[in-house]
Amino acid sequence: MRKFILTTIILFLGQNFANAYTCQEEKVECPIDGKKVSFCVTMSMTTFGSFKDFQQQGAIGKHYEELINTCPICHFSGYIDDFKVKLNEQEKNTIKQYLTKFNETKIGEAQQCLIAAEIKEIQKKKKNEIAFCYLTGSYLIRDNEKELEFRKELQLKAKNNLIASLANNEYEDKTVFANIYYLIAEMERRIGNFDEAVKYYDFAINDANKKEWVEAVAKEQKELAIKKDDNNKI
C-alpha cells in the first residue's frame, strides 16, 4: 500500500510539473550600450483557452511579462531576438535620441511594450509586428483601473497597426484576414468605438475564408458592441 501511495504521489507531481510554466534565463547584450539584459525564455506552459482578445490563459506563469524586456541603462526594449540584432551607427543614434525622453523614468512592463513598438516603428518593421507589441502591453494592464487610459492608448495603437497590416498585404494566408478583422473589432469595442467595432465584426463574420470558430465568437462579441459594453476583463 505504501508503495502504491508513493507511486501515486510521484505520478501526481509529475503530471502537475508537466502542466506548469517553466522558463530558462538567457542573458543578452543591449545593442545600444552593451549592458547585459536577462530574459526568462518560456520553455513550457499549458494553456486552457484564451481571453476574447487572444491572450492565452492557463499555466502560463509570466510568459507575457517576459516576452519583452528593457535595458536598465538606456531603456532599449524588445523581444530577445531584437537584442541580438547588430545595429549600424545611424540606427543606434536615432534610437538613442528617441530613448532620451525616458531618462529618469521608471519603466513598467506595459511601457516596455510601448517602447519596443515605437522602436520597431523607427526601424520600419512590419505593422503586424508593431501591433502585437502594443497588444501585449494591453494584456499586462488588463485589470488595472489606474492604467485605464494607457491601456486604451495601447489598444488604439494596436488597432491602427492591424488595419495598416491589412492595407500593406502582410498576410499570405487568406484565412487569417477574418482573425485580424475580429481582433480589430475587439480593440474598437474595448476603447469604446462601438460603431467601428460592429463594422469589423461584420467583416469577420462575412469573410469567405474565415475559420469555423470566427463567426460564433464574432457574433457573440458583436452583441456586446451593440449594447455599448466595453468590458475589457473577458
Side-chain angles (χ1 to χ4, degrees):
M1 177 61 73
R2 290 178 61 187
K3 184 176 180 181
F4 172 78
I5 293 173
L6 181 61
T7 301
T8 302
I9 291 172
I10 291 171
L11 288 171
F12 176 79
L13 290 173
Q15 185 178 34
N16 278 271
F17 179 78
N19 287 336
Y21 166 82
T22 62
C23 69
Q24 179 174 304
E25 185 180 28
E26 184 174 344
K27 290 190 175 182
V28 290
E29 288 187 1
C30 173
I32 301 296
D33 58 28
K35 177 70 176 178
K36 291 286 186 182
V37 179
S38 293
F39 282 80
C40 199
V41 180
T42 299
M43 301 301 290
S44 66
M45 64 180 186
T46 302
T47 59
F48 309 122
S50 67
F51 290 97
K52 300 297 186 180
D53 57 359
F54 296 163
Q55 181 182 359
Q56 295 293 306
Q57 293 181 285
I60 65 170
K62 289 193 172 183
H63 171 68
Y64 288 106
E65 289 86 343
E66 297 289 352
L67 278 177
I68 290 172
N69 212 332
T70 296
C71 173
I73 303 300
C74 71
H75 300 314
F76 178 87
S77 303
Y79 298 107
I80 191 167
D81 286 344
D82 296 323
F83 279 79
K84 296 177 180 179
V85 173
K86 298 296 182 184
L87 303 175
N88 62 43
E89 286 305 310
Q90 183 178 350
E91 288 176 311
K92 281 185 180 181
N93 290 335
T94 303
I95 294 171
K96 275 182 183 178
Q97 181 60 37
Y98 158 75
L99 291 170
T100 57
K101 69 180 182 178
F102 299 104
N103 289 347
E104 310 302 324
T105 301
K106 185 177 180 181
I107 306 298
E109 289 172 336
Q111 194 169 23
Q112 291 177 7
C113 298
L114 178 139
I115 295 171
E118 292 185 341
I119 289 173
K120 288 181 185 297
E121 288 177 348
I122 291 170
Q123 296 174 311
K124 301 188 186 304
K125 298 288 188 178
K126 287 186 175 182
K127 296 296 185 179
N128 68 329
E129 188 175 338
I130 296 167
F132 280 94
C133 288
Y134 288 127
L135 184 63
T136 299
S138 76
Y139 292 165
L140 300 178
I141 50 176
R142 175 183 296 279
D143 299 321
N144 189 337
E145 293 300 320
K146 293 180 180 179
E147 298 273 21
L148 177 63
E149 291 307 314
F150 182 37
R151 185 260 293 171
K152 289 187 175 183
E153 175 189 348
L154 293 171
Q155 289 170 325
L156 175 64
K157 289 176 180 290
K159 179 263 296 188
N160 288 339
N161 279 279
L162 288 169
I163 291 172
S165 75
L166 290 169
N168 292 349
N169 296 312
E170 292 182 358
Y171 308 97
E172 293 183 7
D173 183 356
K174 291 183 179 180
T175 65
V176 172
F177 294 173
N179 301 23
I180 301 302
Y181 291 141
Y182 166 79
L183 189 53
I184 291 168
E186 271 299 282
M187 296 298 100
E188 296 282 24
R189 183 186 66 77
R190 290 164 192 263
I191 63 178
N193 293 341
F194 301 113
D195 290 341
E196 286 296 297
V198 169
K199 181 176 79 173
Y200 278 97
Y201 285 129
D202 283 339
F203 285 165
I205 292 165
N206 296 320
D207 190 286
N209 298 300
K210 64 182 176 293
K211 295 178 181 178
E212 289 185 7
W213 63 268
V214 174
E215 183 170 353
V217 177
K219 284 181 175 179
E220 177 184 345
Q221 296 304 100
K222 178 183 173 181
E223 289 302 312
L224 293 181
I226 291 170
K227 295 174 184 176
K228 302 190 183 306
D229 186 339
D230 64 356
N231 187 351
N232 190 63
K233 296 182 179 180
I234 56 176

